[in-house]
Structures are given as structure tokens and as C-alpha cells.
Amino acid sequence: MSGNANSGRKALPGNVHLLQGNRSKKSSSELVDALRPPVVVPDAPDHLTADALTEWNRVVPLLEAMGIICELYRAPLAVYCQAWGRYVHAERKLAELGDAELVSTTPSGYKQIGVWLQVSNRAAEQMKTFAAEFGMTPSAINRVSGAAAQGDLFGYGNEAEKKQGAGRFFT
């Protein structure tokens, strides 16, 4: 008897193949997919502001559909959402105070960017940085790849097409 599925050596994980120079000549997609964490939606952190939580609830389903969210990404996603919350707060404050607050004068008489505009600009930069990590900008979307959702493998648009779909292949 020559063996069964349980005999022989266990397959090495993708990261070990990469560390050893990929002697087995596996394709890069096999190795990278082996390193990809499973798609799991993390819980929103308790410290998020109301605006940040709204952004979390908007973005998380989209990232899940793209297959690029997991427990590991909770912290950077929270930073992105919190930056969004700060940005919204600063923009509301600027609208409330008017254009006069865009520039302020220092005690020595110099003109400088207003405090709320500085907060808005810094939050926008943080959002841009973290949004790019998740592929949420037009230029970054090509650099981020995720697993296709199971229902999207055959391009079905709705539940009725999914039910019909099996009949297209197995008659």
C-alpha cells in the first residue's frame, strides 16, 4: 500500500517557502495567498467618536466585500476612522467660525494658518495615508488585492441569479 492523504511530510507554509528562496518553485500567487489572513470583520474600538464610528460602519462592509479586512487591521482602520472624525469636527468648526479663522495672527504679529485649519489639514493627511493602505484611493486600489467574495466568483448580481447559476453548469 502506497499511503494515504495523511502520509508524508506536511506542506510548508508560504512564508517558509519565501524564506528558503522558494526551492519548490511555487507560483507567487500560491505563496502570497498562503500568507493572507482570513477575512474577519473586527469589532469597532470603544474610543471612536460618533463621526469616526459612522465612517467605520460605512467602510467596513466595503473592505469586507473586497476581501481586505481582518482582525490584524483593526488598529490602522481605527486610526483612519478617527482621523475622519477629527477632519469632520474641524471642518464643522471652520464653517461655524467663518473664513476669518483660516488665518490667525501670532502675539508677535505674524500671520499663520488658523488652528482649526491645521487640525483639518493634518487629519486629511492621516486619512490619505491610511486610506492608501486599504486601497481606498484611486491610485492605491491597484496595489491592494483581496480575495473575491464567494458569491462574486461567477458574476451573479442578485440572489435569483445565484440560484439559477448552478443550473448553467450542471444540467
Side-chain angles (χ1 to χ4, degrees):
M1 183 173 234
S2 64
N4 59 26
N6 295 325
S7 63
R9 297 172 100 181
K10 291 188 176 186
L12 294 174
N15 58 350
V16 174
H17 278 280
L18 289 174
L19 289 172
Q20 293 178 347
N22 193 16
R23 293 179 299 195
S24 63
K25 307 293 186 238
K26 288 193 171 197
S27 69
S28 61
S29 64
E30 285 181 89
L31 298 177
V32 172
D33 289 342
L35 298 175
R36 186 176 308 282
V39 175
V40 176
V41 176
D43 294 330
D46 295 333
H47 69 277
L48 294 180
T49 63
D51 289 322
L53 186 59
T54 300
E55 181 68 358
W56 177 282
N57 292 330
R58 183 188 76 84
V59 168
V60 165
L62 300 172
L63 294 174
E64 182 182 18
M66 292 170 64
I68 54 172
I69 190 163
C70 70
E71 284 288 334
L72 187 63
Y73 305 151
R74 181 178 185 234
L77 185 57
V79 172
Y80 164 79
C81 292
Q82 199 68 358
W84 167 261
R86 281 193 197 101
Y87 174 77
V88 169
H89 179 69
E91 288 297 316
R92 285 181 184 144
K93 198 70 169 168
L94 283 169
E96 174 188 318
L97 297 173
D99 289 344
E101 291 297 316
L102 294 177
V103 178
S104 62
T105 305
T106 65
S108 58
Y110 293 101
K111 300 282 186 187
Q112 70 177 17
I113 295 175
V115 173
W116 286 108
L117 185 55
Q118 289 180 38
V119 171
S120 174
N121 289 344
R122 184 155 302 154
E125 282 299 315
Q126 286 179 330
M127 284 185 332
K128 183 177 127 184
T129 300
F130 282 91
E133 293 295 320
F134 289 101
M136 294 190 291
T137 64
S139 62
I141 191 69
N142 293 331
R143 292 190 298 267
V144 177
S145 64
Q150 188 68 34
D152 296 336
L153 291 175
F154 298 108
Y156 302 134
N158 57 36
E159 289 298 320
E161 288 179 354
K162 286 180 188 176
K163 288 178 185 173
Q164 272 185 325
R168 294 196 317 201
F169 299 107
F170 308 106
T171 54

